[in-house]
Each structure stands twice: as C-alpha cells, then as structure tokens.
Amino acid sequence: MTQKETLTLLSSYGWSPALQHDFEPYAARGLVPARVIVQQRNLYRLVTDAGETEGRISGLFRHEAAAAFDLGAYPVTGDWVAVELKGDAAVIAQVLPRATAFTRMAAGTAKDRQVVAANVDMALLAASLNADLNLRRLERYLATAYESGAAPVILLTKADACDDPEPLIAQVEAIAFGVPVLSVSVRTGQGLDALSALLAPGKTAVLLGSSGVGKSTLVNALAGVEKMATKAIREDDAHGRHTTTHRELILLPSGALILDTPGMRELALWDAEAGLAAAFAETTVQIEEIAQGCRFRDCAHDREPGCAVRAALADGTLDPDRWQSFQKLQRELAHAERKEDPLAAQAERKRWAAVHKSARAWTKTKREIDD
Ligand SMILES: Nc1nc2c(ncn2[C@@H]2O[C@H](COP(=O)(O)OP(=O)(O)OP(=O)(O)O)[C@@H](O)[C@H]2O)c(=O)[nH]1
Ligand SMILES: [Mg+2]
Ligand SMILES: [Zn+2]
C-alpha cells in the first residue's frame, strides 16, 4: 500500500490494507467500499473515499435477504459495504464480513435476529451515577459486549451529580472482573482525558446505556460541536426521554470513531432474557456439546487429561473469545453464589438456567431454519 492510499477518507473511518485485500473480488466487479455511518429504516448514509452519500440496498440484495429469513443480513451502522455508485446515489450490493456484531432478538425467533451495530472495537457501557445504579443491568451489558467481540469499558457518567461516588464505583468494580471502570463528568471535565486516551484513531467505540445517562452529551463534548441532540431527563423519576432515535457513527477530531445509540428502550430486548439467550446461544450450546467429549464428567477444562475443550481451543474449533465470554458467565454465577444473600444467588442461578434453556431452544430453532 502506498503512502497516498493510506491517507484516504475511508482509512480515517478504519479502512485497512487487510480489508482492501479482501475487497479485491468486489473491486473487480466495479464496486467501491463504503462504511455505513447512519441507518434509519431503509435509508443509509454512507462514507466512501469520494465523501458522504445516501445509500440504499439493491433489489437483488433485498430479495436474497428476505429469502434467507435473516434480518442480520441487512446493513447496519458500522458495516463495511460494497456499493455501486450511480450518479448521486450509492446502491449497496453486499455487506462485508463483520469483525464484531451486537445482536438482539426482535421477537423471539431466529429469523428475527437483528444486528444493531457492526465492526465495533470497544463497547462503552454507560450508567449514570445520579440515578439508581442497576448492577444487574450492567452485568447484562457486559455479557452482550463480550458476546459481540468488542472490548468493554464501564463509564459511570454525571460524576458531578453524585456526592459520594466511591462506594458505587467499588460495587461496579466488584462485578466488572478487571474491565476498566471510568467515572466521567461533562460538567467538570473529569475523566474525559482518560476516556479520550482509550479511544484510538481509526478504532470504533459504541456508547450503550439507558436513555438520559448522557451518551450524546459525551459525544458532543468529545466532538467539540453539537453533533447530536440532547435533552434534560425527567425531574420526577430521573429517566431519559429517548432523545436519540438512530445509531450514528461520528469521526472525532482525535481520529477515533464513536457510535451513538438510542437509549435502551428502543433496544429493550437487549435487556430481556430472550436477547441474552440469543447472544449466548451458540457459545453455550457449542461448549456444552464439546464438553461431552471430556474424559472426566466433572472436568474443569483446565489441565485435566483428555479435556475436549482444551483440544477444541488448540485446533481452532472453539473460538478463544467465545470461551472467555463463557468463562466470564460462569464467574458471574460463582460471584453471585458467594454473596451473603442466598436468595439473590438462587435467583441468579435460576436466571442463568432460564437463559441456558432458552439458548438451547433458540439454537434448535435456528438449526431448523438453517437446514
Ligand atoms: N450533571 C450532569 N448532567 C449531564 C452530564 N452529561 C449529560 N448530562 C445531562 O443529562 C441529560 C441527558 O443527556 P443526553 O446526552 O441527551 O442523554 P442520552 O444518553 O444521549 O439519552 P438518549 O439519547 O435518550 O438515549 C441532559 O440534560 C444532559 O445535560 C454530566 O456529566 N453531568
Ligand atoms: Mg442521546
Ligand atoms: Zn474438559
């Protein structure tokens, strides 16, 4: 790759020599690469090396995605796509393979699996220090982040609005298992330099969290301009107003990319058992199946002889990231069991048992559809 090529507009959006290499078959068909920066229903805003443009999917694409019963096939914010340029418009012919993907279930069946953000390197899981800090919800965000393949960071926002943040931060660190926890305030500027330092040029971070925690305010502070509309939370219950209604990828002056998302009501199912089951389905089922091949029934998949899980990791059958997120889930369970409150631990065990059960059901459905 020459010096000139590395300075293209698309490379500032994360386009790499490796992606360019994989793109050659599309280039041979006269297609050009683009990244989806806004998706609103069927309308797409794309960036190509020539600048920003409106995009739509081709009739053939729509037909094939519908035939495959797969909502996950459609382009989403963050996706790399191959487009045909036709005058002012760009027609999306193909979604390129995703490095990472955030998925939710739309209605409990596999064909409604919906990818909501793609090719995200880091997940900023935002919770406000001024409202009830819901640790269970943070755990679920963590689970979603692990399953997506993006590296999680927990952002505790509105530090200025909390008199005594230390105990809260300690509680969050206790469930975070080494995930960085950063408290920030847009009012005082606290933590913003530390956050900027985590956001690398050409890398994409997604902001996730309930409505009103201050995601868009943070984007504006990092961008130095009012990129996104923001709105005060409701006085009576400190809940947000669902101000952001679409997902948008923003190139920051630092060269880092940040993806702002609507608060979690729009993504409500991420919070639901079904969504979590979807996220974990393949991992859980795959590992359970592999573990049946272990020599010892109570194998801890550590250093036991004849461990099928270790073997699967060694020969590449089992993805190490998936294995890590599965282990994380097991640690969460163990952690809940250690807590004083035996009822909470029991509830936690029940919750995960339900997740595993629906995960198996979900994968079964998926297989039937795949077959
Ligand atoms: N005190 C304080 N208020 C903040 C801070 N950051 C944001 N806010 C306020 O929180 C309110 C909600 O902020 P938004 O940025 O719109 O929240 P959001 O997370 O984008 O919400 P949705 O788009 O609905 O998901 C606004 O009134 C902001 O001014 C902060 O650091 N401190
Ligand atoms: Mg917003
Ligand atoms: Zn084993």
Side-chain angles (χ1 to χ4, degrees), residues 147 277-294 301 308-326 356 359-360 362-364 367:
E147 183 58 22
F280 272 114
E282 288 179 0
T283 305
T284 305
V285 173
Q286 188 196 9
I287 290 169
E288 280 176 2
E289 277 175 6
I290 292 172
Q292 284 175 3
C294 292
H301 320 307
V309 172
R310 288 280 140 201
L313 281 167
D315 72 14
T317 318
L318 176 58
D319 175 29
D321 290 342
R322 281 178 171 248
W323 173 235
Q324 267 177 21
S325 72
F326 182 79
H356 284 225
R360 276 188 290 271
W362 183 81
T363 302
K364 190 164 164 282
R367 282 196 186 127

Side-chain angles (χ1 to χ4, degrees), residues 135 139 168-178 181 335 338:
L135 295 175
E139 283 178 335
L168 291 175
I169 293 168
Q171 280 178 31
V172 171
E173 280 172 343
I175 62 152
F177 296 108
V181 179
H335 177 75
R338 275 197 309 273

